Amino acid sequence: MTKLTMLATLALLMPLAVSAQGTPGSHFIENWDLDANGSVSLEEITERRGDVFVMFDQDENGRLDAAEYVLFNETRAADMENNAGGHGAGGGRMQEGLTLAFNDTNADGEVSQEEFIANSAAWVAGVDRDGDGAISAADFGPQGN
Ligand SMILES: [Ca+2]
Ligand SMILES: [Ca+2]
Ligand SMILES: [Ca+2]
């Protein structure tokens, strides 16, 4: 993966950066809200996760193994660092949904594309605080974290 691709990927993965306006979650929503209607639906999450998966599946075998997760983890860690202050407990919650442990449903040590996509709903459920089935600004912020 080139440096440039990594930077593009970083932008894609920004999970919970507080934007210049200071609205919690706005950066995540900007990056994942494909139709820009202010909330991120399960469909949008699923599609975007498909893109992320392909980006990190370097040998293109349809599975993210531990070696490929090294770069994925480093990319997310760098993102967390670059956005220090914008991540609270909610940031961890967003990050967890992308980890190997969260997505390796059959515990074979790799995440297949099917597993990664199928866990989209569980990720949304974990973040969707107001229970409307989508992720919007209402699911971020200090209250209830
Ligand atoms: Ca949307
Ligand atoms: Ca692979
Ligand atoms: Ca697996």
Side-chain angles (χ1 to χ4, degrees):
M1 186 176 288
T2 65
K3 205 83 184 165
L4 206 68
T5 315
M6 273 202 52
L7 287 176
T9 307
L10 281 177
L12 180 69
L13 290 175
M14 304 282 192
L16 190 62
V18 174
S19 74
Q21 296 83 22
T23 312
S26 64
H27 212 99
F28 169 81
I29 292 169
E30 261 169 43
N31 278 301
W32 290 73
D33 181 16
L34 300 175
D35 67 1
N37 72 343
S39 81
V40 182
S41 66
L42 177 57
E43 289 71 28
E44 287 166 334
I45 291 271
T46 304
E47 185 177 339
R48 211 78 160 118
R49 280 171 70 100
D51 293 344
V52 169
F53 186 95
V54 168
M55 214 175 290
F56 286 99
D57 182 16
Q58 290 168 290
D59 62 3
E60 299 179 358
N61 70 342
R63 312 171 65 82
L64 291 183
D65 58 31
E68 287 165 338
Y69 248 98
V70 170
L71 179 64
F72 194 6
N73 291 338
E74 280 173 2
T75 305
R76 293 200 315 281
D79 173 47
M80 291 287 275
E81 229 166 80
N82 291 341
N83 295 283
H87 300 285
R93 208 165 38 144
M94 299 303 303
Q95 291 290 329
E96 197 200 332
L98 295 167
T99 60
L100 199 163
F102 184 91
N103 290 292
D104 184 12
T105 308
N106 68 355
D108 67 349
E110 298 185 347
V111 177
S112 67
Q113 192 154 14
E114 291 73 28
E115 287 174 328
F116 199 72
I117 298 301
N119 279 300
S120 301
W123 193 34
V124 170
V127 178
D128 179 21
R129 209 157 59 186
D130 64 4
D132 68 350
I135 299 173
S136 61
D139 296 313
F140 296 93
Q143 325 93 306
N145 253 341

Short mmCIF file of all heavy atoms in Angstrom, two decimals, residues 57 59-61 63-65 68, ligand 2:
data_model
loop_
_atom_site.label_atom_id
_atom_site.label_comp_id
_atom_site.label_asym_id
_atom_site.label_seq_id
_atom_site.Cartn_x
_atom_site.Cartn_y
_atom_site.Cartn_z
N ASP A 57 -7.20 -6.08 2.28
CA ASP A 57 -6.97 -7.47 1.86
C ASP A 57 -5.91 -7.45 0.76
O ASP A 57 -6.20 -7.53 -0.42
CB ASP A 57 -8.27 -8.09 1.34
CG ASP A 57 -8.09 -9.55 0.94
OD1 ASP A 57 -7.07 -10.15 1.34
OD2 ASP A 57 -8.95 -10.07 0.22
N ASP A 59 -3.52 -9.47 -0.32
CA ASP A 59 -3.33 -10.56 -1.27
C ASP A 59 -4.64 -10.94 -1.98
O ASP A 59 -4.69 -11.91 -2.73
CB ASP A 59 -2.68 -11.79 -0.61
CG ASP A 59 -3.57 -12.38 0.50
OD1 ASP A 59 -4.70 -11.88 0.70
OD2 ASP A 59 -3.12 -13.34 1.15
N GLU A 60 -5.68 -10.17 -1.69
CA GLU A 60 -6.97 -10.32 -2.39
C GLU A 60 -7.51 -11.74 -2.38
O GLU A 60 -8.04 -12.24 -3.36
CB GLU A 60 -6.83 -9.82 -3.85
CG GLU A 60 -6.45 -8.34 -3.90
CD GLU A 60 -6.29 -7.83 -5.33
OE1 GLU A 60 -6.44 -8.62 -6.27
OE2 GLU A 60 -6.04 -6.62 -5.49
N ASN A 61 -7.38 -12.40 -1.22
CA ASN A 61 -7.92 -13.76 -1.12
C ASN A 61 -9.26 -13.79 -0.39
O ASN A 61 -9.76 -14.85 -0.05
CB ASN A 61 -6.91 -14.70 -0.45
CG ASN A 61 -6.74 -14.42 1.03
OD1 ASN A 61 -7.11 -13.33 1.50
ND2 ASN A 61 -6.20 -15.37 1.77
N ARG A 63 -9.93 -12.76 2.60
CA ARG A 63 -9.80 -12.92 4.04
C ARG A 63 -8.74 -11.96 4.56
O ARG A 63 -7.72 -11.77 3.93
CB ARG A 63 -9.38 -14.36 4.38
CG ARG A 63 -10.20 -15.42 3.67
CD ARG A 63 -9.60 -16.80 3.87
NE ARG A 63 -9.65 -17.21 5.27
CZ ARG A 63 -10.73 -17.74 5.85
NH1 ARG A 63 -11.83 -17.91 5.16
NH2 ARG A 63 -10.70 -18.10 7.10
N LEU A 64 -9.03 -11.38 5.72
CA LEU A 64 -8.02 -10.56 6.39
C LEU A 64 -7.35 -11.43 7.45
O LEU A 64 -7.99 -11.83 8.43
CB LEU A 64 -8.65 -9.34 7.06
CG LEU A 64 -9.23 -8.24 6.16
CD1 LEU A 64 -9.75 -7.09 7.03
CD2 LEU A 64 -8.19 -7.71 5.18
N ASP A 65 -6.07 -11.75 7.23
CA ASP A 65 -5.36 -12.56 8.21
C ASP A 65 -4.62 -11.65 9.19
O ASP A 65 -4.65 -10.42 9.07
CB ASP A 65 -4.44 -13.57 7.53
CG ASP A 65 -3.42 -12.89 6.62
OD1 ASP A 65 -3.02 -11.74 6.91
OD2 ASP A 65 -3.04 -13.51 5.61
N GLU A 68 -2.26 -9.09 7.66
CA GLU A 68 -2.94 -7.96 7.03
C GLU A 68 -3.56 -7.05 8.10
O GLU A 68 -3.65 -5.83 7.92
CB GLU A 68 -4.00 -8.47 6.05
CG GLU A 68 -3.37 -9.06 4.80
CD GLU A 68 -4.32 -9.90 3.97
OE1 GLU A 68 -5.34 -10.39 4.49
OE2 GLU A 68 -4.03 -10.07 2.78
CA CA B 2 -6.08 -11.64 2.68
#
